[in-house]
Amino acid sequence: MAEAAGAELPVLPDSVLLQVLALLPLRDRLRAARWDPPEPAPGPAASRPGPGADRLPPPRRVCRRWQRLALDRTVWRHVDLSPHRISSQTLWHLVRRRLRDSLRTLRVQGALRSGDKRRLLSPALLAALGERCPHLRRLCLADTDLRPLPYKSLPASITALELSHCEIPAAWFCGALPQLQHLVICDVPAFSDRHLLNVSSQSRLKTLSLWGTYRLTDMGVQRAAPHLGDLEHLVLRHCVIGDSAVGVIGRHMKQLRFLEIGSAGSLTSAGLACLATLQRLEMLGLDLCDKISLGAVIALCRALPQLRKLKLGGARFEDEVVDKIQASLLHCSFSHDP
């Protein structure tokens, strides 16, 4: 069987093999490219792998065609390092030897929640990343302490930034990344009103998703909303907001096409009515609570001429109620998630 499979391999065109290689986990991609042992990284940024950190795969010889394909630019367009606990030395090696100007997406996971104090990222490493990968568009960081990293040290080419379970200093987001259009903050309880005000200085921002930012309040939204008038996609889930925050969203964010508000226990039917000014809104997601009536939701949807999708959560609907909602909203689809 193995000999038969090997005999068929040369028949496959390069384009097919490149797609297969691009889907491989990082370890297998490195093996296919005949990984070389890393050289020590310069300066104090390097650190030795801690217990449980990934060991580097041993060097292996592969055929020339296989190595050529494994080193092709398209194979290294999207790199996900998050399943691996890597050291800064390994990351330095990847930046210098494997990542190049074809890189578009990079996912990295630190060890913040494990108690490991070693730093994975440094300003010097980010500078090298920006120089080696000038077309990097999406950077996703998880479990990373960002307090030692200046915001301006991020690669200037980034258009999308995702931060999950990170420590973010209050002074971050001051000054704009020139290309940043999409920002996702997930499960960062320390994210506060001051953070949001700094975020609002990102003049080209089109997408803002805030999940699990419990310190964000109505006052923070009121101060930031006038500077976020060009937003097209807004998600606020598990934030402490109510009618006043929704009111300024309706007043200042009239370019919104996608709006999702979840677990906002202080929001009422009266506040919900303020969203009727969002005449470009195409998708609306809401979590219902005792203070929001189903009639208020239907009235709002009827006032939004471009609305094409309504998604409700936080309540269980009988089939009769679902049919009633759908019959009342002929111009948009309806779905619900208990």
Side-chain angles (χ1 to χ4, degrees):
M1 294 290 291
E3 292 180 0
E8 292 295 328
L9 184 59
V11 178
L12 295 175
D14 286 0
S15 59
V16 174
L17 292 177
L18 287 173
Q19 293 183 47
V20 172
L21 286 168
L23 295 174
L24 289 178
L26 175 68
R27 280 179 172 274
D28 296 327
R29 265 187 273 182
L30 293 173
R31 287 191 178 104
R34 193 173 60 176
W35 173 274
D36 296 320
E39 300 174 359
S47 65
R48 295 182 179 179
D54 280 351
R55 293 181 179 273
L56 301 177
R60 293 169 179 253
R61 294 189 63 83
V62 295
C63 71
R64 292 182 180 179
R65 181 192 181 207
W66 195 250
Q67 185 183 52
R68 173 177 59 80
L69 293 174
L71 293 176
D72 191 89
R73 299 161 60 90
T74 59
V75 173
W76 297 92
R77 186 168 292 167
H78 306 286
V79 176
D80 185 2
L81 303 178
S82 60
H84 310 277
R85 281 192 59 191
I86 62 176
S87 66
S88 61
Q89 180 182 9
T90 302
L91 188 53
W92 265 108
H93 181 84
L94 284 170
V95 169
R96 297 199 324 245
R97 296 289 188 87
R98 292 293 178 261
L99 305 183
R100 55 189 72 183
D101 60 0
S102 60
L103 184 69
R104 297 294 186 272
T105 302
L106 178 63
R107 292 180 178 274
V108 179
Q109 180 161 349
L112 184 63
R113 287 184 291 177
S114 69
D116 194 334
K117 301 299 183 182
R118 284 181 291 270
R119 287 195 297 171
L120 179 62
L121 300 176
S122 66
L125 192 151
L126 290 173
L129 178 65
E131 182 178 351
R132 287 279 298 169
C133 310
H135 302 298
L136 177 64
R137 295 292 180 259
R138 185 181 182 189
L139 179 62
C140 308
L141 303 177
D143 293 325
T144 304
D145 188 353
L146 300 176
R147 289 172 295 186
L149 300 175
Y151 181 61
K152 63 181 180 181
S153 67
L154 295 177
S157 61
I158 291 175
T159 61
L161 178 63
E162 299 181 16
L163 305 175
S164 176
H165 299 283
C166 292
E167 284 287 350
I168 305 177
W172 242 54
F173 303 112
C174 289
L177 287 176
Q179 305 296 326
L180 187 64
Q181 298 182 35
H182 311 284
L183 177 63
V184 177
I185 307 290
C186 183
D187 292 324
V188 181
F191 190 91
S192 64
D193 292 348
R194 181 180 175 185
H195 286 92
L196 182 60
L197 186 61
N198 291 337
V199 166
S200 67
S201 67
Q202 312 301 305
S203 59
R204 302 189 62 179
L205 206 60
K206 299 296 183 183
T207 299
L208 178 61
S209 296
L210 303 177
W211 297 66
T213 53
Y214 302 105
R215 294 190 182 183
L216 184 63
T217 66
D218 280 9
M219 182 62 69
V221 177
Q222 288 176 338
R223 294 174 64 190
H227 309 288
L228 295 171
D230 291 331
L231 275 185
E232 297 179 358
H233 185 122
L234 176 64
V235 176
L236 299 172
R237 296 195 67 87
H238 303 289
C239 305
V240 186
I241 61 170
D243 289 356
S244 57
V246 172
V248 295
I249 290 174
R251 191 177 311 126
H252 295 287
M253 302 185 188
K254 296 184 178 180
Q255 303 300 317
L256 283 178
R257 299 180 182 274
F258 182 107
L259 175 62
E260 184 174 341
I261 300 176
S263 303
S266 300
L267 183 60
T268 69
S269 296
L272 193 64
C274 298
L275 299 177
T277 58
L278 304 179
Q279 295 292 290
R280 296 190 177 188
L281 200 64
E282 298 174 5
M283 189 281 176
L284 175 63
L286 294 170
D287 280 353
L288 293 183
C289 62
D290 296 338
K291 299 177 182 179
I292 300 178
S293 69
L294 192 56
V297 175
I298 293 175
L300 171 62
C301 294
R302 287 175 173 173
L304 300 173
Q306 301 300 320
L307 193 67
R308 295 296 177 263
K309 184 177 181 180
L310 170 66
K311 182 178 180 180
L312 297 181
R316 187 177 298 275
F317 299 102
E318 300 293 338
D319 291 342
E320 296 178 359
V321 177
V322 172
D323 293 341
K324 179 181 178 181
I325 296 174
Q326 194 65 73
S328 302
L329 304 175
L330 298 177
H331 64 290
C332 73
S333 62
F334 167 67
S335 63
H336 62 98
D337 184 16

